[in-house]
Amino acid sequence: MNITFVGGGNMASALIGGLLQQDYPGAQIHVVEINAENREKIKHQFGVTTGTELRAGIIDRDVIILAVKPQQLFTVAKQLAPLLAGQLVISIAAGIRTSDLSRWLGSYDYIVRAMPNTPSLIRAGVTGLYALPTVINQQKENATSILNAVGLVLWVEQEALLDAVTAISGSGPAYVFYFMEAMLQVGVELGLSIEQARQLTLQTFLGAVQLAGQSEEDVGILRSRVTSKGGTTEQALLKMEQEDIKNAIVRAVHVAFKRAQQMGDELGSL
Ligand SMILES: NC(=O)c1ccc[n+]([C@@H]2O[C@H](COP(=O)([O-])OP(=O)(O)OC[C@H]3O[C@@H](n4cnc5c(N)ncnc54)[C@H](OP(=O)(O)O)[C@@H]3O)[C@@H](O)[C@H]2O)c1
């Protein structure tokens, strides 16, 4: 599979790094990047070929990955439209729906939309994927193997579910960092150094995630295991229940979901 990236910034670098780490041949990757600094960086870091132009010879590939910012996608799509001849187009631009991208590409059928998250930058991401029904199985397998290079991959059957993916795993790292900020604050208030608080907090998240991942029990049961009667955890969780924290988080994630829907409407209105 030959791949062309359009846009060679953070996400393209993460994907290319992941592909090369899986022994994917760099000679089969080309990057179209208008930003000279990013172009040089990607060329030297990965040894892939780079250029500035979208033209027939360059785009005549199996897969084209659109990795520009959402606001830049309309312009790129208009340039790309006359050059398409059956290639799989994968868009990682947040919020832009396949129906809008297809329209911008002149009613193009072979589109997969991907919603990765920031841990993809260290290959610990999770990506939601949706394909137009016309995308063939081989193309879906290609999309899976490319996005697998930066983490887990999860296909959804309806595109609307990518807004849920955005609300859960797209924005999710920020929710986790927010919880961490609170833990760090308390650690320091209770006399630990910032470094000690950081080590305790990070290892607690890492350990809890690994425990949940390796356990067959659901997270509610795992939580109850840490909560002995009359102990410290019980007191903390009681306080969280009184402050309605779980419901506040649920309401906040619903707001993220609604915003993802709105952004889809706004970004696709061109
Ligand atoms: N970063 C994440 O964790 C993350 C997570 C989920 C989804 N995404 C999505 O991934 C996409 C890329 O994000 P990013 O963080 O990698 O952005 P980025 O670092 O800004 O990379 C985009 C690159 O594309 C270049 N570019 C702009 N127009 C171009 C054109 N017409 N032809 C070729 N290159 C062009 C930009 O140049 P200039 O800098 O000069 O504009 C920039 O170097 C976004 O749509 C974002 O929504 C990112």
Side-chain angles (χ1 to χ4, degrees), residues 6-11 32-35 38 67-70 72 76 92-94 115-116 118:
V6 185
N10 295 315
M11 277 312 289
V32 178
E33 168 61 69
I34 53 167
N35 181 310
N38 285 349
V68 294
K69 293 187 193 83
Q72 298 164 329
V76 167
I92 62 166
M115 182 60 215
T118 52

Side-chain angles (χ1 to χ4, degrees), residues 12-265:
S13 298
L15 280 165
I16 295 168
L19 286 165
L20 297 184
Q21 212 172 51
Q22 293 182 358
D23 294 328
Y24 191 86
Q28 285 174 227
I29 297 176
H30 182 78
V31 182
V32 178
E33 168 61 69
I34 53 167
N35 181 310
E37 196 182 319
N38 285 349
R39 194 170 57 250
E40 282 310 301
K41 199 167 139 198
I42 215 156
K43 190 171 163 181
H44 286 113
Q45 192 173 357
F46 300 120
V48 295
T49 58
T50 59
T52 54
E53 270 182 89
L54 282 172
R55 355 182 214 98
I58 293 295
I59 280 312
D60 185 18
R61 294 268 167 141
D62 303 305
V63 182
I64 299 165
I65 302 183
L66 304 179
V68 294
K69 293 187 193 83
Q71 297 78 359
Q72 298 164 329
L73 194 59
F74 176 77
T75 310
V76 167
K78 287 286 159 195
Q79 289 169 5
L80 193 58
L83 306 170
L84 290 173
Q87 305 95 319
L88 171 65
V89 173
I90 302 177
S91 166
I92 62 166
I96 311 252
R97 295 181 183 130
T98 50
S99 54
D100 295 312
L101 182 56
S102 171
R103 182 165 46 81
W104 298 344
L105 290 173
S107 302
Y108 196 67
D109 279 338
Y110 303 114
I111 300 176
V112 165
R113 180 178 157 203
M115 182 60 215
N117 64 358
T118 52
S120 301
L121 301 173
I122 55 153
R123 281 154 222 147
V126 56
T127 300
L129 286 172
Y130 168 77
L132 284 177
T134 35
V135 170
I136 59 175
N137 280 341
Q138 180 60 55
Q139 291 178 319
K140 286 178 79 171
E141 281 168 25
N142 287 349
T144 299
S145 74
I146 291 169
L147 272 308
N148 258 160
V150 289
L152 283 180
V153 161
L154 184 127
W155 283 93
V156 294
E157 291 299 321
Q158 297 137 31
E159 186 168 9
L161 288 175
L162 281 190
D163 292 328
V165 170
T166 304
I168 303 287
S169 57
S171 301
Y175 315 151
V176 174
F177 297 140
Y178 189 70
F179 203 110
M180 283 181 175
E181 284 178 77
M183 303 269 279
L184 287 170
Q185 181 183 323
V186 187
V188 172
E189 281 170 9
L190 298 178
L192 295 167
S193 72
I194 184 74
E195 194 42 42
Q196 287 170 326
R198 192 179 139 81
Q199 275 181 9
L200 291 170
T201 301
L202 263 61
Q203 187 58 31
T204 300
F205 271 81
L206 188 69
V209 167
Q210 285 180 353
L211 182 60
Q214 286 172 29
S215 172
E216 285 180 4
E217 286 166 327
D218 75 40
V219 286
I221 302 281
L222 294 177
R223 174 171 54 75
S224 69
R225 292 258 165 74
V226 194
T227 317
S228 15
K229 274 239 161 302
T232 56
T233 315
E234 186 187 57
Q235 286 299 299
L237 290 174
L238 200 60
K239 182 72 178 158
M240 288 187 198
E241 285 294 302
Q242 283 164 1
E243 304 270 348
D244 206 21
I245 292 191
K246 195 196 279 175
N247 287 326
I249 294 171
V250 169
R251 288 192 294 272
V253 180
H254 275 291
V255 171
F257 172 71
K258 287 211 179 73
R259 181 64 190 135
Q261 290 177 318
Q262 268 174 5
M263 283 171 65
D265 294 340

